[in-house]
Amino acid sequence: MRRLTRTVAAATMATALALVSACSSGSDDADGNDLGSSLEQVTYLTSFGNFGRDAYAWVAKEKGYFKDAGFEVEIKPGQGTGSVIQTVVGGQAHFGPIDLTGGLLQLGNGDAKDFVAVAAIQQRTMAAIATVDGTGITTPKDLEGKTLADTPGSVVRNLFPTYARMAGIDYTKVKWVNGEAQTLMGTLASGSVDGIGQFVVGQPTIEAVTKKEAVMLPYSNVMQDLYGNVLITSKQYATEKPEQVKKFTEALLKGLEYALANPQEAAEILAKNAEAVVPAAAAAELQLMAGYVRSSNSGTALGTLDSGRVAKSIAILRGAGALKSDLTPDQIIDFNLAPKA
């Protein structure tokens, strides 16, 4: 009888200990003390290599914004709009920034589908042709007869015919060759091409690499209603996990806000995580980008997208003959997931 009593007491004690352990474990999870087992694994692509303009993603990771939102994020270098779309839609990444105009061209011309934009990174396009002193290029007209390099899926390259028409130049007289995101500036420095596709914020890095004064031809000079980069995800992920999309977007934009307010620190965080980054040039990129992230339409809010402005962008592309089919803003943007102005 005594043996039976001891057995029951031992079992009761074990059960109590198990319950205490379970409660303690649950409390740790709720407080975020579990070492990542409850975090969702997410892959994020940068827009184009690892330059200062993309430092905000590394900031969001370093500062714990992603982890606080429930994500363990792997950041990989992107290769431009077309490549980022393909990788996200193909399921090899969950999120990435693309140029919205490039996304409209991809979607409207049947080159891509099944992706949605959920936040704006820049309120104005930063697409540009970049060159340096000594190439004889100071105006768009000077591009005729010259050779430019860019990745095949880059928005700068894909939007060039539209830019050329609006700038009054013959785009058929400009030769394009393929390049890689991380080596484009070196290609320009070598003199093997006359110019490269680049964002306007790339100017400090171009000057650091080429040791020459950069000359920028911004697309926004002739196409003023176009957005810059927007954050995209796949339609499948947006449909299946809308709350996760909102949480990830909020964390990323928090990193963007911090990076713009602290460009030098953000540049140093980037340099810790990516090779060949020049912190001074990366910080200068962020300082230049700050003027593109907010606009009179967005006010103080980050990430907002306006349906009317997107419709104007579509009209510009249609008017230039760049779109094979008409689009509506809702076909490319999920306004239910995007931040509100």
Side-chain angles (χ1 to χ4, degrees), residues 177-296:
V177 296
N178 293 338
E180 295 293 327
Q182 293 296 110
T183 60
L184 277 177
M185 293 183 188
T187 303
L188 179 61
S190 72
S192 56
V193 297
D194 301 299
I196 58 175
Q198 190 56 239
F199 282 171
V200 292
V201 294
Q203 180 176 343
T205 306
I206 290 171
E207 293 178 340
V209 171
T210 65
K211 312 300 182 187
K212 296 181 179 180
E213 185 175 349
V215 177
M216 310 298 292
L217 301 176
Y219 283 13
S220 61
N221 286 352
V222 296
M223 295 182 287
Q224 298 177 358
D225 285 318
L226 304 184
Y227 277 93
N229 278 355
V230 294
L231 178 67
I232 68 161
T233 188
S234 67
K235 280 189 175 181
Q236 180 179 353
Y237 192 86
T239 300
E240 294 177 355
K241 299 185 176 182
E243 291 307 312
Q244 294 296 83
V245 172
K246 290 180 181 179
K247 289 178 181 178
F248 183 89
T249 300
E250 184 178 355
L252 184 69
L253 293 178
K254 192 174 180 181
L256 175 61
E257 187 167 33
Y258 189 95
L260 295 178
N262 304 276
Q264 189 60 49
E265 183 184 352
E268 290 166 0
I269 291 172
L270 174 64
K272 282 197 313 182
N273 291 281
E275 295 181 2
V277 171
V278 180
E285 281 203 9
L286 284 168
Q287 290 171 326
L288 285 173
M289 190 173 83
Y292 289 80
V293 171
R294 289 183 172 91
S295 72
S296 58

Side-chain angles (χ1 to χ4, degrees), residues 115-144:
F115 68 94
V116 289
V118 294
I121 305 300
Q122 294 113 23
Q123 294 288 324
R124 290 188 295 137
T125 183
M126 300 197 304
I129 302 297
T131 185
V132 292
D133 272 351
T135 59
I137 301 173
T138 58
T139 69
K141 192 68 176 176
D142 298 329
L143 294 172
E144 294 181 359

Side-chain angles (χ1 to χ4, degrees), residues 321-338:
L323 287 177
K324 295 178 182 177
S325 61
D326 202 2
L327 295 173
T328 63
D330 296 273
Q331 286 178 267
I332 194 168
I333 296 169
D334 191 327
F335 288 101
N336 292 322
L337 300 179

Side-chain angles (χ1 to χ4, degrees), residues 129 143 146-150 160 174-177 193-196:
I129 302 297
L143 294 172
K146 300 296 194 297
T147 298
L148 308 177
D150 204 348
F160 183 74
V174 181
K175 180 182 178 182
W176 285 90
V177 296
V193 297
D194 301 299
I196 58 175

